[in-house]
Amino acid sequence: MGAQRRAVLAAGAAAAVSLAAGCGDGDGGTPEPTGSPAGTPTSPTPSDGASGSAPASPAGEELTAASEVPVGGGVVLADQEVVVTQPQEGEFRAFSAICTHQGCTVASVGDGLIACPCHGSRFRVADGSVAVGPATRPLPPKQITVSGDSVRLV
Ligand code: FES
């Protein structure tokens, strides 16, 4: 007689060591472009109902009298942050009075140039372009109308 022994050998449970190799650091040399969705969603929605008006900007705000704007020069309207110029007689222009360098308000117009007092930038009265730096971008134009002696924002 013999006692049988069964040696139950548990099947080797392989301890699977999962090598998580998913987080590979890159070299950092792949800058992702910031998402700039180009294009507008085109969803034709039949909007028959005029749902409210948007009185956003006071169109037609009077800026100055045309006679106040010297030919070849201009006037700075600090409150409205607009500079109105008259490069040639009867030809009026308007630009943002906020300097494109660091945001000072331009202070004066003379010799055909709009002057920023902060760092000395100068912009041409005809088109707002930079005549003297450090600013590198022109003054943004503003839309105006001249009726009679009144210069107004559009
Ligand atoms: Fe106008 Fe610097 S903010 S020149």
Side-chain angles (χ1 to χ4, degrees):
M1 298 202 199
Q4 282 188 335
R5 280 192 184 179
R6 278 191 175 177
V8 177
L9 297 175
V17 177
S18 64
L19 298 173
C23 297
D25 281 337
D27 295 334
T30 56
E32 291 187 15
T34 57
S36 61
T40 56
T42 57
S43 60
T45 54
S47 59
D48 286 333
S51 57
S53 59
S57 61
E61 177 186 0
E62 185 172 29
L63 293 172
T64 186
S67 57
E68 295 291 321
V69 184
V71 176
V75 293
V76 177
L77 305 158
D79 288 347
Q80 292 93 343
E81 297 181 343
V82 174
V83 54
V84 177
T85 66
Q86 188 176 189
Q88 297 177 18
E89 188 167 355
E91 180 183 314
F92 292 88
R93 300 275 190 274
F95 308 96
S96 166
I98 304 303
C99 180
T100 55
H101 177 230
Q102 288 184 1
C104 288
T105 302
V106 298
S108 61
V109 185
D111 295 330
L113 299 175
I114 302 163
C116 178
C118 289
H119 310 98
S121 290
R122 302 271 191 278
F123 305 88
R124 296 180 181 90
V125 296
D127 58 6
S129 62
V130 176
V132 178
T136 59
R137 308 173 86 181
L139 295 175
K142 297 277 190 180
Q143 294 294 317
I144 55 170
T145 62
V146 181
S147 59
D149 192 41
S150 180
V151 179
R152 294 176 179 272
L153 278 176
V154 173

